[in-house]
Amino acid sequence: MRAALGGRWAAVAGVASLTAASAVLRTEGLRVRLWLDEAISVGIASQPLGAIPGLMRRDGSPPLYYLLLHGWMEVAGQSEAALHLLSLAFGVAVVPVAYWAGRSLFGRRVGWMAAAMAAANPYITRYSVEVRMYTLLVLLSLVCVTCFVHAFVHGRRRWLPAFVLSLALTMYTHNWGLFLALSLGVTALALGFRNGRSSVARTAAPFAVVGVLYAPWIPTLLAQARDVGAPWSKSPGLREVIWSAGAVFGDERA
């Protein structure tokens, strides 16, 4: 028992150290002046809370991050450092969540590897000092995929409420979450067909609940796709596919 308790405290200390190291890596640029998209974020979040969802028709994004930023600005103020701190908090939180994800699914060693990768990931570092929703998107999608594997791959049904909530929040954070929902839905149905017709019905039910939660936003999404011309609303050509593959492996920004 003493050994188990000691191992638990060692894990807490190790994850805390990685989290602190990631915070140090990501604090550079906190006081840098805002660029255009960040200024748009602040402008939207500065509006009355009830007006924010309606403003998104011209922005191309869902409202969750802007609502959170509105509350954050009420508490922390609107200096460059204060504004950047919200994204930094989400980026730093990815480290312990990555440890939890890897450990809960595959064991302690994978947990440590995931936490170390999250702490040093250059893309998370870059977006941790931008007043945008991208680190929140990483955090929520990591939780969502972890809950998905527990619930649908390992059949642990108690994870379904967390999966439904995290997927809905991901879709309300960025419209790229729609592609995540689609890929998870296809995977879940494939697993359901493998296990029989009754399993397909049980598989579809959580996604139906997500659809109900997301339904109020669909009219705004359609208006965005029609009027805004955001990247998620366009079909990529060959050039974009090649560029995206190169960016994944690292370009001059990474």
Side-chain angles (χ1 to χ4, degrees), residues 45 49 52 65-77 86:
L49 200 62
I52 290 175
Y65 173 77
Y66 300 97
L67 296 173
L68 295 175
L69 182 60
H70 177 93
W72 177 258
M73 289 161 54
E74 292 287 332
V75 175
L86 181 61

Side-chain angles (χ1 to χ4, degrees), residues 9 46 68 91 113 117-118 143 165 193 202 228-230:
W9 279 109
S46 299
L68 295 175
M113 292 172 64
M117 291 171 65
V143 173
L165 179 61
F193 278 117
R202 290 197 304 271
V228 177

Side-chain angles (χ1 to χ4, degrees), residues 216-239:
W217 189 249
I218 291 177
T220 302
L221 174 71
L222 295 177
Q224 290 173 335
R226 183 179 63 250
D227 299 333
V228 177
W232 53 265
S233 67
K234 302 175 184 177
S235 300
L238 180 61
R239 180 174 178 272

Side-chain angles (χ1 to χ4, degrees), residues 1-2 9 13 22 25-27 31 39-40 71 80 89 95-96 110-111 113-114 118 121 135 155 195 212 242 245 247:
M1 183 182 223
R2 183 176 298 176
W9 279 109
S22 75
L25 283 173
R26 291 164 183 169
T27 52
R31 291 175 173 80
I40 291 173
E80 283 85 355
V95 178
V110 175
M113 292 172 64
N121 186 285
T135 52
N195 297 326
V212 170
I242 294 173

Side-chain angles (χ1 to χ4, degrees), residues 42-133:
V42 175
I44 293 173
S46 299
Q47 302 304 310
L49 200 62
I52 290 175
L55 293 172
M56 308 316 300
R57 285 178 174 268
R58 297 296 179 183
D59 178 74
S61 299
L64 179 59
Y65 173 77
Y66 300 97
L67 296 173
L68 295 175
L69 182 60
H70 177 93
W72 177 258
M73 289 161 54
E74 292 287 332
V75 175
Q78 297 190 31
S79 68
E80 283 85 355
L83 292 167
H84 287 122
L85 273 174
L86 181 61
S87 294
L88 176 64
F90 294 138
V92 169
V94 172
V95 178
V97 171
Y99 175 80
W100 159 78
R103 191 180 189 282
S104 68
L105 289 172
F106 305 110
R108 186 174 299 172
R109 179 180 297 180
V110 175
W112 285 119
M113 292 172 64
M117 291 171 65
N121 186 285
Y123 289 100
I124 300 176
T125 297
R126 178 187 175 196
Y127 289 121
S128 289
V129 288
E130 286 203 4
V131 189
R132 298 293 287 166
M133 71 291 293

Side-chain angles (χ1 to χ4, degrees), residues 193-217:
F193 278 117
R194 187 184 66 181
N195 297 326
R197 184 175 299 178
S198 61
S199 181
V200 172
R202 290 197 304 271
T203 295
F207 287 91
V209 176
V210 173
V212 170
L213 293 174
Y214 189 70
W217 189 249

